[in-house]
Each structure stands twice: as structure tokens, then as C-alpha cells.
Amino acid sequence: MMTPKTSKLPKSFSFATSWVGSLLLLFLFGCGGKNSGDDPSAVIEGNGFVILGTLTDQFDRAKAKANVEDTLSRHPDIDCMVGLFEYNPPLILEALEQADKIGSVKVVAFDENDRTLKGIQDGHVVGTIAQDPYMYGYKSMEYLAGLHKGPDPAKLAYVTNGVAPFWTIAEKGALQAQADLNVSVDVVMPSGGITDQKDKIEDLLTRKVDGIAVSPIDAANQTELLNKAAERTNLVTHDSDAPESNRKCYIGMDNYEAGLMCAELVKKALPEGGKVMIFVGRMEQDNAKHRRQGLIDGLIGKEREGGGVDLPEDKFIHVKAQTIEKGNVDEFWSTLKKRLGKD
């Protein structure tokens, strides 16, 4: 019987196939391994924590609650839920209460919703990273008033990215600035997403306002609109920045640093690590991206590579966030109520 001839492949061919195979594996299983934070659906592991993913709801409250319920069904051993937008933590608490899971799943929050603060008092929420929306409103109007030239009072507009109790607090600050600074302030709260926000900004330009402060819904896809506004009036951003636009200033907190503060609360709640799910409205906003990245980096012990605010002092009015826990929640809530005229 004849033995078939075999030909020896050159070493270079073996190396090439190995190299191509490695690239193929990277393509199939993803670059960056388990610690890449770019994909919201990716499971990220490190430092004893398993971040199961980031669930978005596009500001749909029913979807936000359904995300929590789905997480409880898929991951009955979940250790901690983190809500990055103001309405997320109250809906997390509502779903946990209905599932009889209050206390068995740790909750870490953002912002100063009454339900969240009550949860801290009751021991159902570990803590929250509180922004200062009142000062977002006040400082935005103060800055724009300072840019105004002319004998007549400035006509200013404060544009939010939606409708929420968070923005009701900001509205109080903007209207207090109106009283203190002798300016006219129009608070505009778009309820229909990015298209509605665009329409309202264009209407303000038609009305020839002297300044607009806006929290962009999707900064990357609104640069043209924002630059158009900046050509016709004084434009600043608040709450969430639009770094590629020609806005004069950003008023708000450093969201990456706030994410790191949030990570400290999670680590305090789970000193040995555990399984964590993140909930947020949408990832298109700069504040959501940086807040989430700071949280992830803080949990897995990753060095900062980007995100956050990198602006000169004259372009950044820093309104610092603070950590609210059981020890300081009563004082914080009392001050908030006085600002809102509830006391």
C-alpha cells in the first residue's frame, strides 16, 4: 500500500495561522476581557465584584420597574442594585417590596427623591449620592445674568432633559435667581425626549432669549443644534455636559467622581464583594456614561483612563455632590424641605 506524501509547512505559515486564530478569538469573545466597561450588557468582574450589566429604560418608569423585576427573576442571588438616575431607586424599592426582598438586596442610590431619603431613614437604602439641583438652577441663571449686556432685564431659559422631582428642585433654584438678580426666567421641561427638547430650544431662539442653560439629552447628536444656539445667544450646559459644543460653561458635578463615591457606598454594603446590577435611564447622556464608568472603576479597582470633567476653571462651575447616609439624612432632608418651602 502506498503511503501518501505529506509536505512540511513553512514555519512562517504556522505563525501566521496562529496569529490569525488569535485575532479570531478576540473577535468572537471581545477585546478587553471581563473588565471592559464599554458594553452595557457585558458582565464585568474584579476585586470580588461581579457587575451583571447595565439596564436602561429610556425614562419609561414602567420599563424601569420591569428591569428590576426581570433582574430578580434572572438573578435571584443578586446582592446589590444601584440606581443612577433619580427615579431608579424608588422603583427598585417598589419592586423589592412587592417581591418581599426588602433588606435582602442592598440598594445604593443617586439623587434626593423623597422615597430614597425615607429608605435611608428606614435602613432599606445604604445611601445616596446627592447632587444639588437647586444650585444647578441658581448658578446657571447667575452665570447667564452676568453675561447679559443692556439696560433691560435679561430674558433667560432653563431647559431640563425631562420631567422629574429632581427638576422641580432645580426649578426652585432658577426661580430664586430670578427674584434675587432681577432677571426673567422661563423653566422649560421637555416631556417628549430629544425631539421635544430640540423644538423647545428652537422656540426659545425664535423668542430671542438672552441666554439658555440646557441639560442635553444626547450631546453627541445635538452638537449642531447646540452650536446653532450658541451663535444666537449665550449658551451653557448644566447637569450633563456637551464637551464638543461651543457652550460657554458647564455647571454641575464631576459625574466620574460621583461614580467613585457611589462605589464606596457599594463597597461599604458588600465588603466581601458580590453581584451588582446597574439601572439607569439612558446611556447617551454624558452624565450617565461618566457616572457609570466611575462606579465600575471604583468597584473593580481600575485606574482612571478617562471620563469626568477636564475643563479650565472659567469653563466649569463645580457644584459638588455629597454622600447621604443614615447619619446625615435627617439634616440633609430638613435643609432640602426648607429650600422647597415645605417646612
Side-chain angles (χ1 to χ4, degrees), residues 4-5 12 40 59 62 76 86 99 109 140 244 248 251-252 272-273 306 310:
K5 288 184 179 179
S12 59
F59 285 5
E86 176 261 348
S140 295
E244 300 303 316
K248 291 183 178 294
I251 297 103
E272 302 301 319
D310 184 18

Side-chain angles (χ1 to χ4, degrees), residues 111-124:
D111 298 325
E112 46 269 70
N113 186 285
D114 283 356
R115 181 69 180 88
T116 298
L117 298 178
K118 182 68 165 61
I120 295 172
Q121 285 183 329
D122 294 341
H124 300 157

Side-chain angles (χ1 to χ4, degrees), residues 37-75:
D38 295 333
D39 179 3
S41 66
V43 175
I44 302 169
E45 297 182 33
N47 210 24
F49 288 96
V50 180
I51 301 167
L52 299 168
T54 302
L55 299 179
T56 61
D57 52 65
Q58 300 302 313
F59 285 5
D60 181 336
R61 298 330 194 242
K63 173 64 174 171
K65 185 179 175 185
N67 282 342
V68 181
E69 294 167 340
D70 184 57
T71 298
L72 290 172
S73 175
R74 290 171 177 267
H75 306 283

Side-chain angles (χ1 to χ4, degrees), residues 85-326:
F85 278 5
E86 176 261 348
Y87 61 86
N88 289 123
L91 292 171
I92 290 172
L93 289 170
E94 187 177 319
L96 289 177
E97 188 172 19
Q98 291 173 359
D100 197 25
K101 290 276 191 176
I102 287 283
S104 61
V105 178
K106 305 294 185 184
V107 178
V108 174
F110 259 86
D111 298 325
E112 46 269 70
N113 186 285
D114 283 356
R115 181 69 180 88
T116 298
L117 298 178
K118 182 68 165 61
I120 295 172
Q121 285 183 329
D122 294 341
H124 300 157
V125 177
V126 176
T128 189
I129 305 304
Q131 302 184 67
D132 194 345
Y134 182 93
M135 293 309 295
Y136 288 4
Y138 194 97
K139 291 288 186 183
S140 295
M141 298 301 97
E142 183 180 52
Y143 184 89
L144 289 172
L147 296 176
H148 179 62
K149 294 181 174 67
D152 298 326
K155 296 184 297 181
L156 307 176
Y158 186 79
V159 183
T160 72
N161 63 22
V163 180
F166 178 90
W167 293 121
T168 302
I169 301 171
E171 179 182 32
K172 287 284 187 180
L175 294 179
Q176 186 60 52
Q178 173 178 255
D180 292 349
L181 305 174
N182 189 32
V183 296
S184 169
V185 173
D186 186 4
V187 177
V188 180
M189 297 191 187
S191 59
I194 190 169
T195 302
D196 192 21
Q197 189 180 63
K198 175 179 181 290
D199 291 344
K200 285 181 165 52
I201 290 172
E202 289 178 339
D203 176 62
L204 290 168
L205 294 174
T206 301
R207 289 159 49 193
K208 297 184 178 178
V209 295
D210 298 305
I212 297 174
V214 60
S215 175
I217 290 174
D218 184 355
N221 290 310
Q222 289 179 294
T223 304
E224 184 179 349
L225 169 69
L226 296 174
N227 286 345
K228 174 184 169 185
E231 288 174 2
R232 297 173 60 181
T233 192
N234 291 316
L235 179 76
V236 300
T237 54
H238 64 88
D239 175 56
S240 186
D241 195 16
E244 300 303 316
S245 74
N246 294 329
R247 49 88 177 103
K248 291 183 178 294
C249 180
Y250 164 60
I251 297 103
M253 68 178 183
D254 184 321
N255 279 280
Y256 185 90
E257 294 295 337
L260 292 177
M261 292 166 66
C262 183
E264 291 304 311
L265 284 174
V266 177
K267 288 192 283 187
K268 183 179 287 190
L270 302 174
E272 302 301 319
K275 294 182 179 180
V276 179
M277 183 68 84
I278 303 171
F279 302 87
V280 69
R282 49 188 162 221
M283 288 300 301
E284 293 85 354
Q285 295 173 209
D286 264 35
N287 58 354
K289 293 178 200 170
H290 296 158
R291 199 175 295 180
R292 172 182 173 270
Q293 195 59 54
L295 168 61
I296 291 170
D297 289 355
L299 289 180
I300 67 175
K302 183 181 177 184
E303 289 294 321
R304 181 174 185 165
E305 294 179 358
V309 178
D310 184 18
L311 291 171
E313 286 187 14
D314 63 330
K315 296 284 188 183
F316 178 33
I317 297 177
H318 192 186
V319 182
K320 292 186 178 179
Q322 58 180 315
T323 300
I324 307 301
E325 299 174 87
K326 199 171 183 66

